[in-house]
Amino acid sequence: MFFPEIEKKSAVEIKQYQEQRLSDQLEYLAAHSPFYKEHFRKHNIDTRTIKLLEDLRRIPVTTKDDLQHSNEAFLCVGREKIIDYITTSGTIGEPVTFGMTEHDLDRLAYCEAISFMCGGHMPGDVYQLMTTMDRRFMAGLAYFMGVRKLGAGIVRVGSGIPELQWESIMRFKPTTLITVPSFILRLVEFAEANGIDHRSSSITKAMCIGEPLRNSDFTLNSLGAQIQEKWGIKLFSTYASTEMEGGFTECEAGIGGHHHPELIIVELLDEHDEAVAPGTPGEVTITTLGVEGMPLLRFKTGDICYQHTEPCPCGRNTLRLGPVFGRRQHMIKYKGTTLYPSSLYDVLDGISGVTNYVVEVSTSEIGTDHILVRIGSTVHDDAFEKKIKDHFRTRLRVVPSLVFESPESVNRVLFPATSRKPVKFVDKRD
């Protein structure tokens, strides 16, 4: 692998490079995407006139609602070319499907390999993969393929089970964890409770996904600080999503995730879909480059970030995204998965025995989102609780905390005296 030359070019050269790639991508969308063909027709867009990055502003944005309601229309290839199906949460409960071709998987592996290299990782490293590769989840697959392309070793343990994680660490001597950072604290707790000297283990680094580690000024937040205090390993933040089929990873400097301009065009937009002023946070909006199966144009991710354009000490001149510090509307980041309240409602509404419920989201002691579902029911035994948890795992891949109460008790929260409508979602986040 190599340090991509485009990332060392000047800002002007990077922009010119992306404009050439954009022309190719627009031509591809106009020829192969049912959704964007109609999008261009509806808004009277002649893609041949889109020459500069600034010209993108003439094209209306794409949203997750579009993906939800017109999912199949985004596919640009026939089923015979799709070799992997991936899903991510939607806005109305049903998952959104992404079909990936052989080319798309190669692109994904390339992205992750250069992201690992961005963080100073080398072919001689051994990684312990602590995220799932199954359940139609992109992240674990992406990391596995990226490590392979890097030429490093990997131990596929999957999520959870601290005892198995430590057995694997002691057996295979990995150097780097790939994990949701809050789980690192569970590993430390298990080690301390079972006489394991975690500080003298082979682990020196962690690639962290799904939860922010830093504040907007790049200092460690409470979660990152706790990990540093309890273990002291080097932490690297990543920011990615299924929709962008790629991501942004910190280098050793730890001052934002680096953009890979050969893969994604990035805009930061306000609530009116206008570009934000320098130094102002905006919603990350991406245009994928080189995606064959399901490319996206001006897709608003819902994540609010700052962008940083000054050169980095590592030698890259690409823009960097700061930590995600805000979310559009009620978006929840829970254990590495992006959720909307409606997806939780959809699970609960389909379970016999659940009379009513309220979903509460708060900020945990380590600064991550915590979901508590207050379930009103006349039934509560182990079998009923297991059934609910199994439904959450099947539909969403994660299980929120559950508390069982009488329907009357939940009703008092659901129908507060000051509200004219039932309040099913309570946001208590800091």
Side-chain angles (χ1 to χ4, degrees):
M1 289 301 296
F2 60 95
F3 188 131
E5 284 297 319
I6 187 60
E7 299 187 18
K8 294 185 286 186
K9 299 291 187 180
S10 69
V12 171
E13 290 172 307
I14 291 172
K15 181 176 183 292
Q16 292 171 342
Y17 167 84
Q18 288 210 304
E19 288 169 346
Q20 177 57 54
R21 295 293 307 276
L22 174 62
S23 294
D24 297 338
Q25 192 68 51
L26 288 171
E27 182 179 349
Y28 182 81
L29 289 171
H32 299 286
S33 172
F35 176 85
Y36 284 112
K37 284 181 185 178
E38 175 59 20
H39 194 61
F40 299 147
R41 185 202 64 78
K42 179 180 178 181
H43 297 285
N44 197 29
I45 302 295
D46 181 352
T47 57
R48 294 170 297 181
T49 66
I50 307 298
K51 302 294 185 181
L52 307 176
L53 295 187
E54 292 83 358
D55 296 336
L56 278 171
R57 300 169 189 170
R58 292 159 41 198
I59 304 176
V61 299
T62 304
T63 68
K64 198 147 191 172
D65 283 344
D66 294 323
L67 289 179
Q68 183 79 73
H69 294 290
S70 305
N71 200 175
E72 289 191 12
F74 280 87
L75 285 169
C76 293
V77 298
R79 290 177 61 88
E80 71 280 358
K81 290 201 70 174
I82 299 173
I83 63 171
D84 197 75
Y85 289 90
I86 290 166
T87 58
T88 186
S89 59
T91 58
I92 58 173
E94 290 299 318
V96 171
T97 298
F98 281 77
M100 301 190 72
T101 67
E102 184 75 40
H103 168 83
D104 294 336
L105 291 179
D106 287 343
R107 175 186 177 279
L108 191 62
Y110 167 83
C111 175
E112 295 304 333
I114 61 174
S115 293
F116 282 123
M117 293 187 70
C118 185
H121 302 261
M122 303 298 291
D125 285 322
V126 177
Y127 297 81
Q128 184 148 315
L129 182 60
M130 298 163 64
T131 62
T132 183
M133 287 183 62
D134 56 8
R135 304 178 189 173
R136 309 189 303 246
F137 196 44
M138 177 182 281
L141 175 66
Y143 288 122
F144 174 72
M145 294 191 305
V147 169
R148 283 190 61 200
K149 193 167 187 67
L150 181 65
I154 192 163
V155 184
R156 295 179 291 107
V157 182
S159 59
I161 319 177
E163 183 176 3
L164 179 59
Q165 302 292 352
W166 275 114
E167 190 273 338
S168 299
I169 291 171
M170 292 184 284
R171 179 186 295 270
F172 301 110
K173 305 295 188 294
T175 57
T176 308
L177 305 177
I178 303 174
T179 183
V180 175
S182 56
F183 188 70
I184 298 175
L185 295 178
R186 287 189 58 196
L187 287 183
V188 172
E189 291 171 1
F190 184 90
E192 292 174 343
N194 291 274
I196 299 172
D197 184 3
H198 58 283
R199 291 185 181 274
S200 65
S201 72
S202 58
I203 302 299
T204 61
K205 296 174 283 190
M207 294 288 287
C208 297
I209 72 168
E211 297 169 343
L213 289 169
R214 300 187 188 278
N215 301 307
S216 296
D217 63 357
F218 301 119
T219 58
L220 290 173
N221 61 18
S222 58
L223 172 58
Q226 285 188 58
I227 296 171
Q228 282 288 285
E229 178 186 356
K230 293 178 180 293
W231 201 337
I233 58 178
K234 179 71 174 176
L235 302 175
F236 293 88
S237 290
T238 65
Y239 163 57
S241 71
T242 299
E243 293 87 355
M244 67 176 68
E245 299 188 30
F248 301 75
T249 302
E250 288 181 337
C251 68
E252 293 273 1
I255 52 174
H258 278 281
H259 171 221
H260 302 305
E262 65 270 47
L263 302 176
I264 299 172
I265 293 171
V266 182
E267 302 172 79
L268 264 66
L269 304 181
D270 62 20
E271 64 273 22
H272 305 295
D273 300 336
E274 298 292 335
V276 299
T280 303
E283 184 171 349
V284 179
T285 303
I286 56 97
T287 295
T288 55
L289 298 174
V291 173
E292 186 176 54
M294 198 165 160
L296 296 177
L297 176 66
R298 303 200 79 206
F299 175 76
K300 296 193 80 173
T301 65
D303 295 319
I304 309 300
C305 289
Y306 285 97
Q307 67 175 340
H308 303 267
T309 57
E310 65 278 7
C312 182
C314 74
R316 291 171 175 82
N317 292 320
T318 52
L319 71 83
R320 304 183 311 282
L321 291 182
V324 176
F325 69 91
R327 297 169 177 83
R328 180 168 56 90
Q329 298 176 340
H330 291 156
M331 185 186 294
I332 306 164
K333 294 279 190 178
Y334 186 63
K335 296 183 178 179
T337 298
T338 299
L339 300 173
Y340 289 84
S342 57
S343 62
L344 297 165
Y345 303 160
D346 194 61
V347 173
L348 292 162
D349 287 339
I351 300 175
S352 175
V354 174
T355 303
N356 52 16
Y357 58 85
V358 171
V359 174
E360 296 181 355
V361 179
S362 59
T363 302
S364 70
E365 293 180 356
I366 58 175
T368 61
D369 287 351
H370 176 72
I371 304 174
L372 173 68
V373 180
R374 302 175 64 170
I375 297 174
S377 177
T378 57
V379 181
H380 178 219
D381 53 32
D382 291 344
F384 183 59
E385 184 171 349
K386 181 179 183 300
K387 180 175 76 170
I388 295 174
K389 289 181 177 180
D390 286 345
H391 276 281
F392 276 115
R393 285 192 191 94
T394 301
R395 294 291 299 277
L396 304 179
R397 294 192 295 264
V398 293
V399 180
S401 297
L402 308 177
V403 60
F404 293 86
E405 303 176 21
S406 70
E408 294 77 15
S409 175
V410 173
N411 256 346
R412 285 192 287 272
V413 181
L414 190 60
F415 297 99
T418 56
S419 177
R420 294 175 296 175
K421 300 178 181 179
V423 180
K424 297 171 66 175
F425 180 74
V426 180
D427 195 340
K428 297 182 176 179
R429 286 175 289 191
D430 295 339

